[in-house]
Amino acid sequence: DSGVTQTPKHLITATGQRVTLRCSPRSGDLSVYWYQQSLDQGLQFLIQYYNGEERAKGNILERFSAQQFPDLHSELNLSSLELGDSALYFCASSVVPSENIQYFGAGTRLSVL
Amino acid sequence: GQQVMQIPQYQHVQEGEDFTTYCNSSTTLSNIQWYKQRPGGHPVFLIQLVKSGEVKKQKRLTFQFGEAKKNSSLHITATQTTDVGTYFCAGYSNYQLIWGAGTKLIIKP
Protein backbone atom coordinates (compact mmCIF):
# COMPACT_ATOMS: atom_id res chain seq x y z
CA ASP A 1 0.00 0.00 0.00
CA SER A 2 1.56 3.28 -1.18
CA GLY A 3 -0.47 5.43 1.19
CA VAL A 4 -2.02 7.37 -1.71
CA THR A 5 -5.78 6.94 -1.93
CA GLN A 6 -7.78 7.45 -5.08
CA THR A 7 -11.55 7.34 -5.41
CA PRO A 8 -13.52 6.02 -7.09
CA LYS A 9 -11.74 2.91 -8.39
CA HIS A 10 -14.00 2.67 -11.40
CA LEU A 11 -16.21 5.20 -13.14
CA ILE A 12 -18.52 4.59 -16.06
CA THR A 13 -20.16 7.55 -17.70
CA ALA A 14 -21.46 8.84 -21.00
CA THR A 15 -20.00 11.22 -23.55
CA GLY A 16 -20.58 14.86 -22.74
CA GLN A 17 -20.70 14.28 -19.00
CA ARG A 18 -18.47 15.66 -16.25
CA VAL A 19 -16.70 13.65 -13.54
CA THR A 20 -14.46 14.36 -10.56
CA LEU A 21 -11.63 12.13 -9.47
CA ARG A 22 -10.27 12.44 -5.97
CA CYS A 23 -6.84 11.85 -4.52
CA SER A 24 -5.54 11.89 -0.96
CA PRO A 25 -1.73 12.01 -0.84
CA ARG A 26 0.49 10.19 1.61
CA SER A 27 0.63 11.75 5.04
CA GLY A 28 3.22 14.52 4.94
CA ASP A 29 3.46 14.76 1.16
CA LEU A 30 2.89 18.26 -0.15
CA SER A 31 3.05 17.63 -3.87
CA VAL A 32 0.44 15.88 -6.00
CA TYR A 33 0.70 14.78 -9.62
CA TRP A 34 -1.96 13.58 -12.04
CA TYR A 35 -1.27 11.18 -14.91
CA GLN A 36 -3.34 9.64 -17.68
CA GLN A 37 -2.56 6.15 -18.96
CA SER A 38 -4.49 4.88 -21.96
CA LEU A 39 -4.64 1.15 -22.64
CA ASP A 40 -1.15 -0.30 -22.86
CA GLN A 41 0.37 3.15 -23.19
CA GLY A 42 2.86 5.13 -21.16
CA LEU A 43 2.19 7.69 -18.48
CA GLN A 44 1.07 11.09 -19.73
CA PHE A 45 1.76 13.78 -17.17
CA LEU A 46 -1.19 16.10 -16.76
CA ILE A 47 -0.55 18.52 -13.91
CA GLN A 48 1.30 18.99 -10.62
CA TYR A 49 0.40 20.87 -7.45
CA TYR A 50 2.56 21.79 -4.52
CA ASN A 51 1.03 22.92 -1.26
CA GLY A 52 -2.10 24.16 -2.97
CA GLU A 53 -0.44 25.93 -5.89
CA GLU A 54 -0.15 24.74 -9.48
CA ARG A 55 3.49 23.88 -10.07
CA ALA A 56 3.72 22.38 -13.56
CA LYS A 57 1.42 21.59 -16.45
CA GLY A 58 1.81 18.79 -18.94
CA ASN A 59 -0.46 17.69 -21.74
CA ILE A 60 -3.67 18.59 -19.97
CA LEU A 61 -6.67 19.38 -22.13
CA GLU A 62 -8.63 22.57 -21.57
CA ARG A 63 -11.66 20.41 -20.71
CA PHE A 64 -9.71 19.10 -17.71
CA SER A 65 -8.91 21.03 -14.57
CA ALA A 66 -7.54 20.24 -11.15
CA GLN A 67 -7.00 21.77 -7.77
CA GLN A 68 -5.33 21.00 -4.47
CA PHE A 69 -7.19 21.92 -1.33
CA PRO A 70 -5.82 23.23 2.00
CA ASP A 71 -5.95 19.72 3.46
CA LEU A 72 -3.72 18.72 0.49
CA HIS A 73 -6.17 16.38 -1.17
CA SER A 74 -6.61 16.98 -4.87
CA GLU A 75 -9.38 16.67 -7.39
CA LEU A 76 -9.19 16.24 -11.15
CA ASN A 77 -12.27 17.44 -13.03
CA LEU A 78 -12.93 16.10 -16.50
CA SER A 79 -15.73 17.70 -18.50
CA SER A 80 -17.40 17.30 -21.90
CA LEU A 81 -16.10 13.76 -21.86
CA GLU A 82 -15.24 12.02 -25.10
CA LEU A 83 -14.71 8.35 -25.87
CA GLY A 84 -10.97 8.97 -26.09
CA ASP A 85 -10.86 10.11 -22.47
CA SER A 86 -11.36 6.51 -21.37
CA ALA A 87 -8.19 5.65 -19.50
CA LEU A 88 -6.59 4.98 -16.14
CA TYR A 89 -5.99 8.15 -14.19
CA PHE A 90 -3.25 7.96 -11.59
CA CYS A 91 -2.48 10.33 -8.80
CA ALA A 92 0.97 10.35 -7.25
CA SER A 93 2.43 12.28 -4.34
CA SER A 94 5.87 13.24 -3.13
CA VAL A 95 7.21 15.10 -0.13
CA VAL A 96 8.48 18.00 -2.19
CA PRO A 97 8.42 18.54 -5.95
CA SER A 98 12.13 18.64 -6.45
CA GLU A 99 13.75 15.40 -7.46
CA ASN A 100 11.60 13.35 -5.18
CA ILE A 101 10.29 9.84 -5.44
CA GLN A 102 6.64 9.63 -6.46
CA TYR A 103 4.21 7.26 -4.77
CA PHE A 104 1.26 6.25 -6.89
CA GLY A 105 -2.30 5.50 -6.00
CA ALA A 106 -4.11 2.50 -7.42
CA GLY A 107 -5.76 4.66 -10.06
CA THR A 108 -9.28 5.43 -11.24
CA ARG A 109 -10.40 3.58 -14.34
CA LEU A 110 -12.68 5.82 -16.38
CA SER A 111 -14.86 4.35 -19.09
CA VAL A 112 -16.71 6.79 -21.32
CA LEU A 113 -19.49 5.10 -23.29
CA GLY B 1 11.19 19.90 -25.55
CA GLN B 2 13.03 17.64 -23.17
CA GLN B 3 12.62 13.97 -23.90
CA VAL B 4 13.60 10.65 -22.45
CA MET B 5 13.62 7.91 -25.05
CA GLN B 6 13.22 4.38 -23.77
CA ILE B 7 13.83 1.24 -25.80
CA PRO B 8 12.71 -1.32 -26.63
CA GLN B 9 8.96 -0.87 -26.34
CA TYR B 10 8.48 -4.61 -25.78
CA GLN B 11 10.82 -7.46 -25.01
CA HIS B 12 9.80 -11.09 -25.17
CA VAL B 13 12.10 -13.46 -23.29
CA GLN B 14 12.10 -17.06 -22.21
CA GLU B 15 12.09 -17.49 -18.46
CA GLY B 16 15.70 -17.57 -17.35
CA GLU B 17 16.95 -15.26 -20.09
CA ASP B 18 18.25 -11.77 -19.40
CA PHE B 19 16.38 -8.53 -20.06
CA THR B 20 17.68 -5.00 -20.60
CA THR B 21 15.95 -1.68 -21.13
CA TYR B 22 17.69 1.56 -22.04
CA CYS B 23 16.88 5.22 -21.53
CA ASN B 24 18.46 8.18 -23.29
CA SER B 25 17.82 11.80 -22.46
CA SER B 26 18.16 14.82 -24.70
CA THR B 27 19.46 16.80 -21.70
CA THR B 28 21.68 16.17 -18.69
CA LEU B 29 19.69 14.76 -15.81
CA SER B 30 19.99 15.56 -12.09
CA ASN B 31 18.90 12.03 -11.33
CA ILE B 32 17.04 9.15 -12.87
CA GLN B 33 14.40 6.99 -11.26
CA TRP B 34 13.11 3.58 -12.24
CA TYR B 35 9.58 2.31 -11.66
CA LYS B 36 7.85 -1.00 -12.28
CA GLN B 37 4.20 -1.40 -13.15
CA ARG B 38 2.79 -4.90 -12.85
CA PRO B 39 -0.12 -5.82 -15.15
CA GLY B 40 -3.25 -4.21 -13.72
CA GLY B 41 -1.23 -2.33 -11.14
CA HIS B 42 0.25 1.07 -10.55
CA PRO B 43 3.86 2.23 -10.97
CA VAL B 44 6.04 1.41 -8.00
CA PHE B 45 9.37 3.09 -7.31
CA LEU B 46 12.38 0.80 -7.65
CA ILE B 47 15.48 2.96 -7.35
CA GLN B 48 17.01 6.38 -7.87
CA LEU B 49 20.46 7.04 -9.36
CA VAL B 50 22.13 10.37 -8.75
CA LYS B 51 25.85 10.18 -9.40
CA SER B 52 27.63 10.03 -12.73
CA GLY B 53 28.60 6.43 -13.54
CA GLU B 54 26.58 5.07 -10.61
CA VAL B 55 25.75 1.37 -10.54
CA LYS B 56 23.27 -0.10 -8.10
CA LYS B 57 22.08 -3.66 -7.65
CA GLN B 58 18.92 -5.11 -6.23
CA LYS B 59 19.22 -8.89 -6.29
CA ARG B 60 18.98 -9.80 -10.00
CA LEU B 61 18.42 -6.18 -11.10
CA THR B 62 21.34 -3.93 -12.05
CA PHE B 63 20.82 -0.22 -12.66
CA GLN B 64 23.38 2.04 -14.31
CA PHE B 65 23.60 5.80 -14.80
CA GLY B 66 25.87 7.00 -17.59
CA GLU B 67 28.98 9.09 -17.09
CA ALA B 68 27.38 12.06 -18.84
CA LYS B 69 24.17 11.60 -16.82
CA LYS B 70 22.17 11.36 -20.04
CA ASN B 71 21.53 7.65 -20.21
CA SER B 72 20.62 4.78 -17.98
CA SER B 73 19.90 1.09 -18.17
CA LEU B 74 18.17 -1.62 -16.20
CA HIS B 75 19.37 -5.19 -16.60
CA ILE B 76 17.59 -8.19 -15.15
CA THR B 77 19.53 -11.44 -14.95
CA ALA B 78 17.72 -14.76 -15.34
CA THR B 79 14.18 -13.39 -15.59
CA GLN B 80 11.39 -14.95 -13.56
CA THR B 81 7.62 -14.78 -13.99
CA THR B 82 7.49 -12.27 -11.14
CA ASP B 83 9.50 -9.83 -13.29
CA VAL B 84 6.64 -9.44 -15.78
CA GLY B 85 5.44 -5.87 -16.14
CA THR B 86 6.38 -2.54 -17.62
CA TYR B 87 9.54 -0.80 -16.52
CA PHE B 88 9.65 2.99 -16.72
CA CYS B 89 12.58 5.32 -16.34
CA ALA B 90 11.97 8.91 -15.31
CA GLY B 91 14.68 11.54 -15.51
CA TYR B 92 14.75 14.73 -13.46
CA SER B 93 15.81 17.86 -15.34
CA ASN B 94 14.94 21.55 -15.00
CA TYR B 95 12.54 20.89 -12.13
CA GLN B 96 10.57 18.34 -14.14
CA LEU B 97 10.35 14.57 -14.05
CA ILE B 98 10.35 13.35 -17.64
CA TRP B 99 9.04 9.86 -18.18
CA GLY B 100 10.19 7.31 -20.70
CA ALA B 101 7.50 5.41 -22.59
CA GLY B 102 8.25 2.17 -20.75
CA THR B 103 9.48 -1.28 -21.76
CA LYS B 104 7.08 -4.15 -21.37
CA LEU B 105 8.71 -7.40 -20.29
CA ILE B 106 6.81 -10.44 -21.55
CA ILE B 107 7.77 -13.97 -20.62
CA LYS B 108 7.17 -16.42 -23.46
CA PRO B 109 5.09 -19.45 -22.47
Side-chain angles (χ1 to χ4, degrees):
Chain A
D1 183 10
S2 66
V4 178
T5 305
Q6 285 188 252
T7 56
K9 286 188 173 17
H10 302 277
L11 203 46
I12 301 174
T13 188
T15 54
Q17 295 298 304
R18 173 189 169 94
V19 296
T20 298
L21 312 184
R22 184 188 167 101
C23 170
S24 293
R26 289 188 328 154
S27 176
D29 284 1
L30 300 178
S31 202
V32 168
Y33 312 77
W34 286 98
Y35 294 88
Q36 180 193 57
Q37 186 175 46
S38 300
L39 191 61
D40 267 355
Q41 298 295 309
L43 292 164
Q44 297 298 317
F45 168 66
L46 296 178
I47 199 162
Q48 176 195 353
Y49 281 83
Y50 173 64
N51 207 17
E53 300 288 326
E54 183 184 302
R55 179 73 176 229
K57 250 185 179 177
N59 300 324
I60 187 166
L61 300 171
E62 285 192 16
R63 300 183 284 108
F64 296 1
S65 65
Q67 53 184 326
Q68 186 180 27
F69 294 87
D71 67 352
L72 300 176
H73 92 271
S74 179
E75 292 181 357
L76 178 66
N77 300 296
L78 315 176
S79 61
S80 302
L81 284 167
E82 301 175 0
L83 296 177
D85 297 327
S86 296
L88 253 178
Y89 290 84
F90 286 111
C91 168
S93 72
S94 67
V95 175
V96 292
S98 55
E99 308 187 19
N100 235 263
I101 298 158
Q102 294 186 16
Y103 295 88
F104 283 75
T108 293
R109 183 171 294 281
L110 174 66
S111 299
V112 182
L113 305 177
Chain B
Q2 298 167 56
Q3 285 190 321
V4 172
M5 304 298 294
Q6 187 172 0
I7 57 168
Q9 190 176 356
Y10 300 93
Q11 190 165 359
H12 294 77
V13 300
Q14 298 276 5
E15 190 173 1
E17 290 182 339
D18 293 356
F19 160 86
T20 306
T21 172
Y22 301 90
C23 286
N24 285 291
S25 169
S26 56
T27 58
T28 303
L29 301 170
S30 302
N31 67 55
I32 193 156
Q33 301 171 7
W34 285 91
Y35 293 77
K36 176 183 178 182
Q37 184 178 20
R38 291 183 189 273
H42 58 276
V44 174
F45 171 79
L46 293 176
I47 207 158
Q48 178 172 279
L49 305 172
V50 179
K51 298 176 186 173
S52 168
E54 190 168 14
V55 178
K56 286 190 177 179
K57 294 193 176 190
Q58 288 180 349
K59 297 184 181 176
R60 293 176 294 104
L61 279 62
T62 302
F63 304 84
Q64 296 191 36
F65 200 12
E67 294 290 341
K69 299 184 76 173
K70 283 189 169 185
N71 58 74
S72 183
S73 65
L74 158 59
H75 180 82
I76 304 178
T77 304
T79 53
Q80 299 175 358
T81 54
T82 53
D83 297 324
V84 160
T86 301
Y87 293 84
F88 293 97
C89 64
Y92 199 85
S93 176
N94 291 336
Y95 308 104
Q96 289 183 65
L97 196 62
I98 308 157
W99 290 79
T103 296
K104 193 169 187 176
L105 168 58
I106 299 161
I107 305 276
K108 296 178 196 174

